[in-house]
Amino acid sequence: TLPMLPPAGSRLLVVGGVRGIGRALVAAALQAGIDVAVMDLAASYDGIRLPLELVHDLDVTDDSSVD
């Protein structure tokens, strides 16, 4: 586990968590017993290895997506 993670049972929001470092953070958090929500671009979902119920659409460059 990563030393910076909150304790098990905590909630964590990961923006950009579908790929790369974000995905690694999500995997570590889930393994540590943390409840995780992932926000990312819908276009990033293709071929993801995360449960889709964790992932929500977000484009921080689009104000209507953030409201």
Side-chain angles (χ1 to χ4, degrees):
T1 61
L2 300 172
M4 66 189 167
L5 289 175
S10 297
R11 292 185 228 168
L12 181 67
L13 172 64
V14 181
V15 177
V18 170
R19 299 194 185 281
I21 293 170
R23 184 173 69 194
L25 175 59
V26 169
L30 289 171
Q31 186 177 18
I34 298 167
D35 295 327
V36 179
V38 178
M39 308 292 279
D40 213 322
L41 296 170
S44 298
Y45 296 4
D46 189 32
I48 65 168
R49 297 181 197 145
L50 294 171
L52 284 178
E53 63 270 13
L54 298 177
V55 183
H56 307 279
D57 293 343
L58 175 70
D59 180 352
V60 296
T61 66
D62 178 3
D63 289 341
S64 67
S65 174
V66 179
D67 286 338

